[in-house]
Amino acid sequence: MNLDCPLPYGEAELVQLGHGAGGRLTAELLDRIVLPALGGAPDGPLEDAALLPGAAELVLSTDSFVVSPLTFPGGDIGSLAVHGTVNDLAMRGAVPLALTLAVIAEEGLPLTELRSVLESAGKAAHQAGVPVVTGDTKVVGRGAADRLFLNTTGVGRRIPGLTPSAAAARPGDAVLLSAPIGLHGTAVLSTREGLGFATDIASDTRPLHRLVQALAPLGGAVHTLRDPTRCGLAASLNEIAAASGVGVEIEESAVPVPQAVAAACDLLGLDPLAVANEGCLVAFVEADRADEALTALRTYPEGAGAVRIGRCTAGPPGRVELRTLIGARRVVDLPLGEQLPRIC
């Protein structure tokens, strides 16, 4: 009889998949190991992108992409890498100026697949209006990289008047969402596992900087922007609530979840609020400017489904609550880790 414990255990702690998933395990890894090793935590909150010292109008972001499969309905790892970095810059109120792209390919990867992915990245960069100015290529042995990893770094310039931050949400703010949630995570999972949802669900991966530019006339009324990628809307709202010291209340009836996504999540036991997205943003704006913000977002196809989903409260600080369809309330916790591994 096999009596081995199914949970990881050993004399020394080990890195687990959940440490890279964007939830509580990731936060613990950053707090205990990464940030102390690199000089300590920053003065402010951890953001999607950083302001460059001595040049506060410039924003820098870097990211690595490890999606499996490499190609999925609606996109691939190449377009995903470009969109993800452009969007991280946009969430700090910046338009992209330039990107870098580094390739780590596994020996044996068909050159046709590599060419297809890189052409997709080039097309996505061209459509976003940002050049890829430098990069790097490495090849590792078979089995050392799970076929292909991409790393991108982006530099952007902040739009005058926009200074969004995860720590800037204020009680009374309206919480807006630019598009339906759950499409990316369920599209990738369906393709990976052959679940049959691929004909109904496509990833929402796309650049969001045009939406941020549309919000520019609101200036300081735009307090916080975040794209809910790993661990989905649940993680983003919890991060904002914690960084700003506020509470957040959202209405289940107002959160747009496509029917096919809801069906897939019901079947698999997933919470749509914790499923990864790659083509929507959540915005905290002054309540009396919310209608103006929604009108601005809806001027572009990627924001056509923008809605108000809740509000920011005085507290309890760091708590996110969902008002359910039957009028009850439940706490939306920061997920432990990504429900679906290898999503972005």
Side-chain angles (χ1 to χ4, degrees), residues 236-277:
S236 292
L237 294 178
N238 272 277
E239 290 165 358
I240 293 167
S244 296
V246 298
V248 177
E249 294 181 355
I250 59 174
E251 301 286 340
E252 184 177 17
S253 61
V255 178
V257 180
Q259 185 175 356
V261 169
C265 289
D266 285 344
L267 177 64
L268 300 169
L270 302 177
D271 182 355
L273 294 177
V275 175
N277 312 277

Side-chain angles (χ1 to χ4, degrees), residues 49-52 55-62 85-100 130 153-159 209:
L51 306 183
L52 284 179
E57 77 280 5
L58 295 180
V59 177
L60 181 71
S61 181
T62 191
T85 301
V86 166
N87 293 346
D88 282 346
L89 296 172
M91 297 308 106
R92 293 307 306 275
V95 293
L97 297 178
L99 298 177
T100 74
V130 57
T153 295
V155 178
R157 178 176 287 113
R158 294 188 101 175
I159 301 168
H209 60 298

Side-chain angles (χ1 to χ4, degrees), residues 149-329:
F149 299 157
L150 296 181
N151 175 273
T152 49
T153 295
V155 178
R157 178 176 287 113
R158 294 188 101 175
I159 301 168
L162 280 184
T163 57
S165 169
R170 297 290 179 265
D173 282 355
V175 182
L176 312 182
L177 185 67
S178 67
I181 62 171
L183 289 164
H184 177 72
T186 48
V188 171
L189 179 66
S190 179
T191 305
R192 180 192 304 162
E193 305 298 338
L195 299 178
F197 293 108
T199 57
D200 301 315
I201 304 174
S203 170
D204 60 344
T205 178
R206 55 192 168 188
L208 299 172
H209 60 298
R210 295 197 304 170
L211 293 184
V212 175
Q213 288 175 296
L215 293 173
L218 280 73
V222 179
H223 294 161
T224 303
L225 298 172
R226 184 60 67 95
D227 58 331
T229 53
R230 294 181 301 173
C231 287
L233 185 61
S236 292
L237 294 178
N238 272 277
E239 290 165 358
I240 293 167
S244 296
V246 298
V248 177
E249 294 181 355
I250 59 174
E251 301 286 340
E252 184 177 17
S253 61
V255 178
V257 180
Q259 185 175 356
V261 169
C265 289
D266 285 344
L267 177 64
L268 300 169
L270 302 177
D271 182 355
L273 294 177
V275 175
N277 312 277
E278 291 292 343
C280 66
L281 64 81
V282 60
F284 285 61
V285 303
E286 293 178 4
D288 60 359
R289 307 293 297 277
D291 289 341
E292 185 180 348
L294 288 171
T295 298
L297 293 172
R298 292 167 182 164
T299 59
Y300 290 98
E302 55 267 37
V307 293
R308 181 171 180 165
I309 62 169
R311 65 189 184 98
C312 191
T313 70
R319 178 181 291 181
V320 178
E321 292 185 337
L322 175 76
R323 185 185 294 273
T324 68
L325 295 175
I326 61 173
R329 291 176 179 268

